[in-house]
Amino acid sequence: MLDTDPPRLSAMPLYTHLDRIERGLAAQGIGPHEPIRPEQLFALDQWHYHGTDAIAAAARALGLGSRSRVLDIGAGVGGPARYLAHTIGCHVTALELQPELHAIGVDLTRRSGLADRVTHLCGDALVEPLPAASFDAVVSFLAIVHIPDRPRLFDRLVRALRSGGGCYIEDLCMRAPFAPRDLDDAGRIVYANSLTSQADYARDLTGAGFSDVTVTDLTPDWAPFAAERLAAWRQNHAAYARVHGEGAYMAQELFYTVIARLYDSGSLGGVRLVARRP
Ligand SMILES: C[S@@+](CC[C@H](N)C(=O)[O-])C[C@H]1O[C@@H](n2cnc3c(N)ncnc32)[C@H](O)[C@@H]1O
């Protein structure tokens, strides 16, 4: 590949070495086709900040119940969707762009006994058909930063919600302009396609027709968390590599190192946005 080739999402360090999930299950004594209790996945399938606590907070904020129909944008391997289906009992449509992650998600959901409550869709949130007014809530964790056309995405999401439905997003944002090297890393290592200020993020929601937009700056929480995560990751090097492989260790070390540095620079931030379709 030439240096000038655009970065590929699937090459981002977080999305390589996907066998780390099966290896993590094997370390718990669970074979490739065996049933899984959802709890046995929580350390492996939540690819955002604060694991299942973050998803539980979203469920509370949105008032989700067992009859809720939820759309998860950028579902990854389906961790947030399975957690909601398992703990709340709601039905979740888990939309994921990358076929490899989608396929892992389908398999884990089936083996967790949650296939009747989680529907996996493989597609691009910018083009995947979303039936009008068919969801009570939309959630998205650390995914919209990858999506280049946020106004178009929000326009599609507001239409997919019923009137009164809620939207809950946690994502990265920009607090100050990035230095050239940091900008390069944000593109290549984080695959950040839509890093803006929190105010611009909120404006895109209102521009699409969302109301009651509340914005919470998560940077004071996430920045120290990222630094501690990196230190803990390095400390646990040998134990992690023994189970998941050295390649998986190194890929995530690169990702965690860059993220910690971007927070440290003062340019990267974290944000939660909650909004409603009028
Ligand atoms: C950091 S992961 C988070 C996964 C999941 N939300 C979680 O918290 O565990 C972001 C996910 O968004 C997906 N994604 C990126 N662009 C997308 C798009 N246009 N449509 C659907 N999914 C997308 C990526 O493939 C990736 O799996």
Side-chain angles (χ1 to χ4, degrees), residues 159-192:
R159 288 165 198 267
L161 279 172
R162 66 157 168 83
S163 176
C167 176
Y168 188 104
I169 296 166
E170 289 192 357
D171 207 357
L172 299 175
C173 63
M174 183 174 78
R175 305 185 80 223
F178 287 88
R181 175 187 169 212
D182 292 345
L183 194 60
D184 186 55
D185 276 350
R188 272 185 324 107
I189 310 292
V190 186
Y191 206 81

Side-chain angles (χ1 to χ4, degrees), residues 1-21:
M1 182 196 283
L2 298 174
D3 280 351
T4 50
D5 281 351
R8 283 178 302 115
L9 182 59
S10 59
M12 183 184 146
L14 197 57
Y15 308 134
T16 62
H17 303 87
L18 296 173
D19 65 342
R20 65 183 188 265
I21 297 174

Side-chain angles (χ1 to χ4, degrees), residues 15 47-48 74 76 80 96-98 101 123-125 141-143 146-147:
Y15 308 134
W47 293 1
H48 50 264
E96 169 54 43
L97 178 67
Q98 298 185 62
L101 302 188
D124 183 342
F141 297 89
L142 279 300
H146 293 319
I147 299 181

